[in-house]
Amino acid sequence: MGMRSARWVGALAAGVVLTACGGGGAAAPEGPPESLVLGLVPSAEVDQLVLDADQLAELLSAELGIPVEPVVSDSYAALVVAMQTGQADIGLFGPIALVQSVDQAGAVPILQSVRRDSPSYHTQWMTNDPAKYCTTPVVQATNPEGNTFNYCNGTDTATAGPVGEDAIGAIAEGDTVMFVDEGSASGYYYPATQIQEITGIDPLTGIDAQFAGGHPNSVLAVARGDVAVGVSFDDARNDVFEEDPEIGSKVTVFAWSPEIPNDGVSVRGELPEETRTAIADAMTAVIATPEGAAAFDAVYSIEGLVPADLDQLDVARQVAANFGG
């Protein structure tokens, strides 16, 4: 179908003059597109994401009947700009970036991800220093994926966040915390908000905030001892279990954030309504097939897709607003 292999664009849209449209608000609808660009952001190793994105784009292209080109951006912020400038037609975003794509680029949210039979999730706080951050004994438990990991402060039996928040109070002024991405809900906005609310420390100036660039990278940073505390989605340890089979004992989860609406999909507002509907229908149809389920799982561990819940996304919007987003 003339589709090119996924491109890794180190700073997609970062240096583009914004001439396509202003911040927020969709322009007049276009005609039906002859091709589409699917934008993604790394949550794991970039080269593998490029390969996985190729497979997903091929399946979507076959379902839609037009070429779909996958492009991997270096950050959620760059992907929002790509949506704003017409460089990307479909974006797979974390919840904060999803609402930013709506508010800043005039995009339309169409779908939300389902994992573990839930449309919501939470940040997990991780440490290699349980003596400091665990107020209960460390226990080992087997998670829904069948892997045995370390937990404390009730995170082994909880079903929803927040959990163990008092332990976050052990973070002191000047401590290093490994976050994921400045546009990530579970990897930055929610845990940074928790630091501010629980410790009174300004997360912008009061701690040494580091960014791993991907959730598995944050897990590995804690496992290696690069930092004592890191955050990720629950449970990103699954994604590095094969790389480091001892991850379960090296990294202890000691707290959870409040529940966060899952990541989702938005499309350019300039696309005709029938095209937006066709994209949503195509993604839903693809994930219902064995090949499609494997492709969505490989890209972002997505197990299902449901229509976007605008009320849930308003929660994420409020967190971003409270944090200055």
Side-chain angles (χ1 to χ4, degrees), residues 38 40 52-61 92 286 292 295-296 299:
L38 171 68
L40 305 94
D52 296 335
D54 280 340
Q55 176 64 20
L56 178 58
E58 287 177 7
L59 294 169
L60 290 173
S61 181
L92 274 65
V286 166
F296 274 102
V299 169

Side-chain angles (χ1 to χ4, degrees), residues 256-292:
W256 288 356
S257 74
E259 290 298 293
I260 307 168
N262 276 353
D263 54 317
V265 182
S266 68
V267 296
R268 280 199 305 120
E270 294 88 349
L271 292 174
E273 184 176 355
E274 57 267 26
T275 301
R276 302 198 298 262
T277 300
I279 293 168
D281 290 346
M283 288 189 155
T284 303
V286 166
I287 202 170
T289 68
E291 298 84 1

